[in-house]
Amino acid sequence: MTVKKRLTIFLIFLVLLTGCKGTSSDVSSDTEVPNDKEYNLMITNNSPLFLKSVVVTVDEKNNNPINSLIDSNINLGEAAKFSINNGKHAFKITLNPKKNYSVSKEFREEFEKDKVVEYQVKIEENEVIIKKKDN
């Protein structure tokens, strides 16, 4: 094999190994990117369970759920973050752990601008509980 062929194969291998680190030029201005500062409900997993999903269903008028928000793959110490409209809301938090039963609990809370409401998932007396974090 000639030096030129070896060099070409080496360069191709090097390019495939490093991959492409460029950015897409097809980014439209109307694409919204979530910002961590925009959430006002945080649910921290302080249990050894891996949560496949955390679902928050907000009840508005006439007890009709109008908004279900989902966050997924929450490990120990991680938090699911949600954005809820300001004002008083009734909502239900549903936890869906991997290889375990689902747990849900209903809450009423008043959401205010620039205030984050925190809940945590714990195991107490062999039961999974959702509890508001004392600030």
Side-chain angles (χ1 to χ4, degrees):
M1 192 181 279
T2 67
V3 175
K4 197 173 192 180
K5 285 184 182 180
R6 285 185 185 187
L7 185 59
T8 304
I9 291 172
F10 176 75
L11 289 175
I12 291 172
F13 176 75
L14 188 61
V15 168
L16 292 175
L17 185 65
T18 58
C20 177
K21 294 182 183 174
T23 58
S24 173
S25 62
D26 188 26
V27 177
S28 61
S29 61
D30 62 346
T31 304
E32 290 185 25
V33 178
N35 184 345
D36 274 351
K37 295 178 182 176
E38 294 178 5
Y39 67 89
N40 57 357
L41 174 62
M42 184 168 73
I43 303 164
T44 304
N45 183 12
N46 288 330
S47 76
L49 298 173
F50 171 73
L51 301 176
K52 291 187 302 183
S53 66
V54 176
V55 180
V56 175
T57 304
V58 180
D59 290 334
E60 288 290 340
K61 299 174 183 167
N62 302 326
N63 291 329
N64 293 327
I66 64 160
N67 198 4
S68 288
L69 307 166
I70 300 173
D71 203 347
S72 60
N73 302 324
I74 310 298
N75 289 310
L76 171 64
E78 294 180 345
K81 299 173 182 176
F82 302 94
S83 178
I84 308 289
N85 292 335
N86 291 333
K88 292 182 181 181
H89 297 285
F91 59 97
K92 180 168 77 172
I93 299 173
T94 304
L95 309 173
N96 297 305
K98 184 175 184 179
K99 298 181 181 177
N100 214 325
Y101 60 93
S102 293
V103 174
S104 64
K105 188 171 180 181
E106 294 185 12
F107 298 93
R108 291 190 180 278
E109 193 72 50
E110 183 167 357
F111 292 91
E112 299 173 7
K113 185 177 181 181
D114 299 327
K115 179 184 170 192
V116 177
V117 177
E118 297 180 58
Y119 287 87
Q120 53 187 324
V121 178
K122 292 180 164 183
I123 294 183
E124 290 182 1
E125 299 177 10
N126 293 329
E127 291 292 324
V128 178
I129 63 165
I130 306 165
K131 189 174 180 180
K132 186 169 181 180
K133 185 175 178 182
D134 298 325
N135 292 333

